[in-house]
Amino acid sequence: MSKFLKGTFILLIAGLITRVLGFINRIVIARSIGEEGVGLYMMAFPTFILVVTLTQMGLPVAISKNIAEAEAKGNYAEIKKILVVSLAVTISLSLIFTPALIFLTPILSTTLFTDERVFYPLMAIAPVVPIIAISSVLRGYFQGRQNMRPSAFSQIIEQLVRITLIAVMTRTFLPYGIEYAAAAAMVSAVIGEIVSLIYLMTTFKLKKRFKLRKNFFQFVHSGKKTFKDLMEIALPTMGSRMIGSVSWFFEPIVVAHSLAIAGVAAVAATKQYGALTGFAMPLLMLPSFVTYSLATSLVPAISEANSQNNHQLIEHRLQQALRFAFITGGLSVIVLYVLANPLMELMYGSSKGSAFIRLMAPFFLFYYYQGPLQAVLQALNLARAAMINSLIGAIVKTAVIFLLASQPSFGIIGVALGIMVGFVLVTILHFATVLKKISFSFYIYDYLKGFIVMGISAWLGFWLFEHIFLDGHLAIRVLTAIIGMSSAYTIMLIIAGLIKKDELLRIPFIRRLFNQSL
């Protein structure tokens, strides 16, 4: 199995575990503090992401790319220099932006947000900025060496710690007010990140081929060229992510003010935003662990192929990634569309948010493509083009949200439509940019077969849910429908030739079963 496929498979398994744990975490939060608490949590979160983006400065992707190229040449001195320069930059920036966030939080909560209670979760999350900054550098280092295990395991550890603390801390602080419970959820995330960083640092010490602290400052002073090389990738990448982060930062602000114009009270707006971003969006973004795994593995794999001018391998890797995103995303779309109501009832004890899922699910196939396409653009030194695409999408998204959400006839549905328009547009622009750089064959017949398989599987799932185990528990009915849809979907994909035998045999447990049967 190639490093690309092996790395992707490791990240997929870890991503699945992390997503499951993350869902348990969100279910506990939702049931503990409700829509209002989740709304406060989600209003504060984009500000935190903006500060982290500024601190990381786009370096994780640049580190992964440059370390992959340096290791291909056997240049371990350059690998150390990349790591030292990156740590110096991120630590310095975190020492600037963390106090800035603490200082600006009272101003943000009273001026930009319509709900002043956002102050508490914002203050609670501030200390995690330097921790994530260092963790991201170490993850970029391991990913650049195409060793995905430390990154994968650190994510699982972080979620396990968070989920252990979240129920206790939210219930402990809830009597003091919903805002304190939301802040407690943030503190649980901070502790999880600290434990994750300890694991990454321990793994690095055990697996390193050089002493990081030896001549640290000499490497920093002699790393001007390394810094320049990193910035060529990092700055456009940061620009692209900054656009997303700034857009996300302004999203709850624009939403709150737009809904206020439409006549929605501040508390009601917080609840509606919580239902959309805290209940519906996590379910819709479930397959993003697949696209994240693909994107993370694609950067070093395509960077290596690009440095060797192997354009055929670049297209092959992209075809693999997009087909995998289509297959996994397609199953998610039909499961969520058919079972939107019962899934929300099971997870959150409320069907609020199911209308958002039915509206947005079919279009999320575009979102699942966005990660791999952006990774390809970064690996091909087209990060600036990706940044421009993201800027266009962010501007259009914000404009659509304001125009629609401020009208009483649309309200919060206008926010959902704006989000959809944004990611569909960015994905189309990314794909058009990739086509300008590399040759790409678009297999229309395969996609047509895929959509037919989705339609048949969706009908089967609907029939199973409406006719099987009607007197049984809701969880049994949902599980039966999911198993039926997934089984039929997989079998039909294999029959249609969209999943090939040699690809199935690359999965370790399937290969072992096949070998035992011979």
Side-chain angles (χ1 to χ4, degrees):
M1 187 184 292
S2 68
K3 279 187 178 181
F4 168 66
L5 289 174
K6 187 177 180 181
T8 303
F9 185 72
I10 291 169
L11 287 174
L12 278 173
I13 299 300
L16 177 60
I17 296 169
T18 304
R19 286 287 171 178
V20 170
L21 293 173
F23 264 116
I24 295 171
N25 180 30
R26 286 183 180 275
I27 291 166
V28 172
I29 292 174
R31 288 179 178 269
S32 300
I33 60 179
E35 290 171 80
E36 192 176 350
V38 172
L40 288 172
Y41 182 96
M42 294 306 298
M43 280 186 169
F45 201 71
T47 305
F48 157 69
I49 292 297
L50 175 60
V51 177
V52 169
T53 303
L54 286 167
T55 306
Q56 288 180 342
M57 209 175 177
L59 280 169
V61 172
I63 293 165
S64 175
K65 181 181 185 298
N66 288 11
I67 283 180
E69 292 173 353
E71 186 161 57
K73 299 171 185 174
N75 190 348
Y76 294 103
E78 181 62 21
I79 291 175
K80 178 179 177 179
K81 195 174 287 186
I82 291 167
L83 198 55
V84 166
V85 170
S86 301
L87 283 170
V89 171
T90 53
I91 291 171
S92 300
L93 289 171
S94 67
L95 292 175
I96 296 169
F97 289 117
T98 305
L101 176 59
I102 294 170
F103 176 74
L104 290 171
T105 290
I107 301 169
L108 290 171
S109 59
T110 54
T111 55
L112 292 180
F113 292 99
T114 57
D115 197 325
E116 294 182 5
R117 296 174 298 171
V118 175
F119 169 84
Y120 298 96
L122 275 177
M123 287 295 286
I125 204 68
V128 84
V129 173
I131 298 163
I132 290 180
I134 298 169
S135 296
S136 65
V137 172
L138 293 176
R139 286 193 179 104
Y141 164 77
F142 285 118
Q143 289 161 5
R145 297 190 62 192
Q146 300 195 47
N147 179 8
M148 304 302 172
R149 283 191 179 90
S151 180
F153 291 157
S154 68
Q155 291 171 17
I156 295 173
I157 290 168
E158 186 267 326
Q159 284 289 348
L160 284 172
V161 173
R162 184 188 294 190
I163 205 167
T164 303
L165 295 173
I166 199 82
V168 176
M169 295 193 71
T170 52
R171 287 173 185 171
T172 301
F173 285 90
L174 188 58
Y176 300 98
I178 199 76
E179 61 271 32
Y180 290 99
M186 290 291 193
V187 172
S188 302
V190 173
I191 297 171
E193 290 290 350
I194 291 171
V195 176
S196 175
L197 175 60
I198 292 170
Y199 166 77
L200 284 169
M201 291 175 69
T202 305
T203 306
F204 175 76
K205 286 182 178 180
L206 293 173
K207 294 182 178 290
K208 66 183 179 182
R209 298 188 181 184
F210 47 81
K211 293 182 178 179
L212 183 63
R213 286 181 291 182
K214 186 177 180 180
N215 301 323
F216 185 92
F217 291 103
Q218 290 179 12
F219 272 86
V220 172
H221 289 303
S222 64
K224 289 183 179 178
K225 184 181 181 301
T226 302
F227 177 76
K228 183 181 177 183
D229 291 341
L230 285 169
M231 289 303 105
E232 284 180 359
I233 301 297
L235 288 178
T237 302
M238 184 189 75
S240 182
R241 291 189 176 177
M242 269 295 294
I243 290 162
S245 298
V246 169
S247 171
W248 199 18
F249 168 74
F250 280 112
E251 183 182 297
I253 298 168
V254 173
V255 168
H257 286 281
S258 299
L259 292 177
I261 293 170
V264 181
V267 173
T270 301
K271 287 183 177 181
Q272 289 178 8
Y273 191 69
L276 172 60
T277 59
F279 289 11
M281 290 296 286
L283 270 173
L284 289 164
M285 296 177 75
L286 175 63
S288 64
F289 79 87
V290 175
T291 56
Y292 169 79
S293 305
L294 290 168
T296 304
S297 299
L298 269 174
V299 172
I302 288 185
S303 295
E304 186 178 355
N306 192 42
S307 66
Q308 298 166 353
N309 291 319
N310 191 342
H311 297 290
Q312 187 176 357
L313 181 58
I314 292 172
E315 185 192 354
H316 177 65
R317 292 283 184 242
L318 180 57
Q319 289 281 10
Q320 280 183 313
L322 293 184
R323 186 157 55 87
F324 202 22
F326 178 73
I327 288 169
T328 53
L331 178 59
S332 174
V333 165
I334 60 173
V335 168
L336 292 175
Y337 188 85
V338 172
L339 301 173
N341 264 350
L343 282 172
M344 295 294 282
E345 286 284 355
L346 280 175
M347 290 185 173
Y348 305 117
S350 168
S351 61
K352 291 178 181 178
S354 59
F356 299 127
I357 292 176
R358 285 208 183 90
L359 173 67
M360 301 172 78
F363 297 93
F364 254 76
L365 273 176
F366 288 91
Y367 178 82
Y368 306 144
Y369 271 17
Q370 195 175 120
L373 287 171
Q374 182 151 327
V376 171
L377 291 175
Q378 289 163 349
L380 295 175
N381 297 319
L382 292 170
R384 185 174 176 272
M387 178 184 70
I388 294 169
N389 295 344
S390 299
L391 175 61
I392 295 169
I395 292 170
V396 172
K397 180 188 84 169
T398 307
V400 172
I401 287 175
F402 181 76
L403 289 171
L404 296 183
S406 58
Q407 298 181 37
S409 57
F410 281 96
I412 194 68
I413 294 295
V415 180
L417 291 171
I419 293 170
M420 283 164 47
V421 169
F423 67 67
V424 169
L425 179 60
V426 172
T427 301
I428 292 170
L429 291 173
H430 279 354
F431 191 65
T433 308
V434 169
L435 291 179
K436 291 179 182 178
K437 182 70 174 181
I438 62 171
S439 59
F440 185 86
S441 300
F442 197 75
Y443 299 102
I444 297 174
Y445 185 55
D446 284 348
Y447 280 94
L448 181 62
K449 288 191 289 185
F451 284 121
I452 293 171
V453 169
M454 284 183 212
I456 296 172
S457 302
W459 175 84
L460 176 64
F462 180 79
W463 187 89
L464 287 171
F465 184 76
E466 292 295 326
H467 294 86
I468 304 296
F469 300 127
L470 292 180
D471 297 327
H473 192 276
L474 182 62
I476 300 297
R477 295 175 62 197
V478 168
L479 188 61
T480 302
I482 291 174
I483 292 172
M485 274 191 284
S486 302
S487 302
Y489 185 78
T490 305
I491 291 167
M492 285 189 286
L493 286 178
I494 294 171
I495 293 170
L498 297 177
I499 298 178
K500 298 175 176 59
K501 179 183 173 182
D502 63 315
E503 292 171 338
L504 286 172
L505 292 177
R506 286 174 180 165
I507 301 173
F509 73 91
I510 293 180
R511 185 171 63 246
R512 284 196 295 270
L513 287 173
F514 181 78
N515 291 336
Q516 289 172 5
S517 66
L518 293 178

